[in-house]
């Protein structure tokens, strides 16, 4: 009797990965983060520097704001991500849907955003039904983990029901997040329009657009 082969799983980041960065959603998000910072008392001269420092040190600005300013992270999520006009900007991506449907792995979303934002983006792209689940940042959870922290990747594997890192594939627009995945033994693909030489560098696969994923991992596609 043939043994059953373990099923591979592909973890997809969402923002600036499944849609193009030139939609400028990240810029609008930053504007709302700075506005929230000013609302809680950060002055105009320091708000950009302070929020940027929190992002670099804690993975997300909101984590620093919670730690140092005792904000309500759920309120932050509602006023920042929740106020983005995603439905006016992100449109269904037929090419992306066809690519995802052709991949011969399980599909799982893995984001540093909150659950509501993640689901809104996937719905706007017309691909929400293609993912088994979403590992997201629960802003109501004290000291919630986020990429590139090891705990976030462990949580993604646990929630997806996989315990072998060699079965895990990952696409993300953050080099830090890619490096963390590689250190765990995942196969990782950096997605960034800034990449000039597609294919593989010394450590990881890289593409300019998520639509190019089959060119670097053809063995995963029909």
């Amino acid at each position: 009797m043939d043994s059953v082969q373990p099923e591979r799983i592909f973890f997809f980041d969402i923002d600036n990965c499944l849609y193009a960065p030139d939609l400028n959603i990240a810029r609008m998000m930053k504007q709302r983060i700075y506005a929230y910072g000013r609302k809680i008392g950060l002055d105009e001269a320091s708000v950009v520097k302070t929020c940027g420092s929190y992002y670099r040190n804690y993975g997300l600005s909101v984590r620093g704001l919670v730690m140092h300013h005792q904000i309500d992270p759920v309120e932050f999520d509602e006023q920042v991500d929740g106020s983005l006009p995603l439905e006016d900007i992100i449109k269904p991506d037929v090419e992306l849907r066809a690519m995802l449907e052709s991949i011969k792995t399980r599909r799982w979303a893995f984001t540093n955003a909150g659950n509501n934002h993640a689901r809104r983006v996937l719905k706007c792209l017309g691909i929400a039904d293609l993912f088994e689940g979403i590992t997201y940042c629960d802003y109501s959870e004290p000291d919630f983990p986020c990429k590139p922290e090891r705990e976030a990747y462990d949580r993604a594997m646990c929630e997806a029901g996989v315990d072998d890192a060699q079965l895990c594939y990952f696409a993300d627009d953050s080099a830090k997040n890619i490096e963390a995945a590689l250190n765990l033994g995942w196969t990782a693909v950096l997605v960034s329009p800034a990449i000039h030489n597609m294919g593989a560098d010394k450590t990881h696969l890289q593409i300019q657009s998520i639509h190019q994923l089959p060119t670097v991992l053809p063995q995963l596609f029909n």
Side-chain angles (χ1 to χ4, degrees):
M1 180 181 296
D2 294 336
S3 61
V4 177
Q5 294 298 314
E7 194 168 5
R8 295 171 295 191
I9 184 166
F10 211 115
F11 293 95
F12 290 89
D13 177 44
I14 296 179
D15 288 301
N16 296 318
C17 181
L18 295 183
Y19 62 78
D22 62 12
L23 293 183
N24 291 320
I25 291 172
R27 177 179 57 81
M28 289 186 287
M29 196 177 297
K30 283 183 179 180
Q31 291 171 345
R32 285 161 170 77
I33 292 172
Y34 301 154
Y36 190 91
R38 291 190 291 270
K39 173 187 171 183
I40 64 170
L42 295 177
D43 61 70
E44 190 69 38
S46 66
V47 65
V48 174
K49 181 179 179 181
T50 299
C51 291
S53 173
Y54 291 162
Y55 178 83
R56 291 188 298 273
N57 293 332
Y58 305 117
L60 289 171
S61 296
V62 63
R63 297 178 77 199
L65 291 171
V66 169
M67 184 177 300
H68 297 288
H69 305 274
Q70 295 75 51
I71 68 161
D72 178 353
V74 175
E75 177 190 72
F76 173 93
D77 185 39
E78 293 172 350
Q79 296 187 15
V80 176
D81 288 4
S83 69
L84 292 167
L86 300 178
E87 290 76 12
D88 296 331
I89 301 171
I90 303 175
K91 302 304 178 184
D93 189 333
V94 177
E95 182 183 355
L96 174 61
R97 183 177 180 87
M99 186 270 287
L100 291 172
E101 288 179 325
S102 69
I103 195 168
K104 297 183 291 186
T105 69
R106 299 169 57 202
R107 296 175 294 263
W108 197 276
F110 181 21
T111 177
N112 274 353
N115 186 37
N116 184 56
H117 175 83
R119 292 186 183 280
R120 286 177 67 200
V121 173
L122 296 179
K123 182 178 179 180
C124 289
L125 287 167
I127 58 174
D129 60 304
L130 298 182
F131 291 87
E132 288 184 47
I134 306 172
T135 295
Y136 57 89
C137 287
D138 182 354
Y139 290 176
S140 66
E141 177 185 343
D143 197 26
F144 60 87
C146 68
K147 296 177 289 184
E149 295 172 348
R150 168 70 183 263
E151 187 180 348
Y153 296 81
D154 289 344
R155 174 172 292 189
M157 291 180 68
C158 180
E159 292 180 350
V162 59
D163 55 15
D164 184 352
Q166 293 186 347
L167 298 175
C168 298
Y169 293 77
F170 180 50
D172 198 295
D173 65 297
S174 164
K176 286 185 177 181
N177 295 347
I178 291 296
E179 181 180 2
L182 290 169
N183 289 337
L184 293 176
W186 293 19
T187 298
V189 183
L190 178 64
V191 183
S192 172
I195 292 170
H196 299 294
N197 297 312
M198 284 179 20
D201 72 357
K202 294 180 180 179
T203 59
H204 60 263
L205 304 169
Q206 51 190 29
I207 52 179
Q208 294 172 319
S209 164
I210 194 65
H211 302 91
Q212 299 166 334
L213 192 57
T215 65
V216 292
L217 290 171
Q219 70 275 19
L220 298 184
F221 293 85
N222 292 319

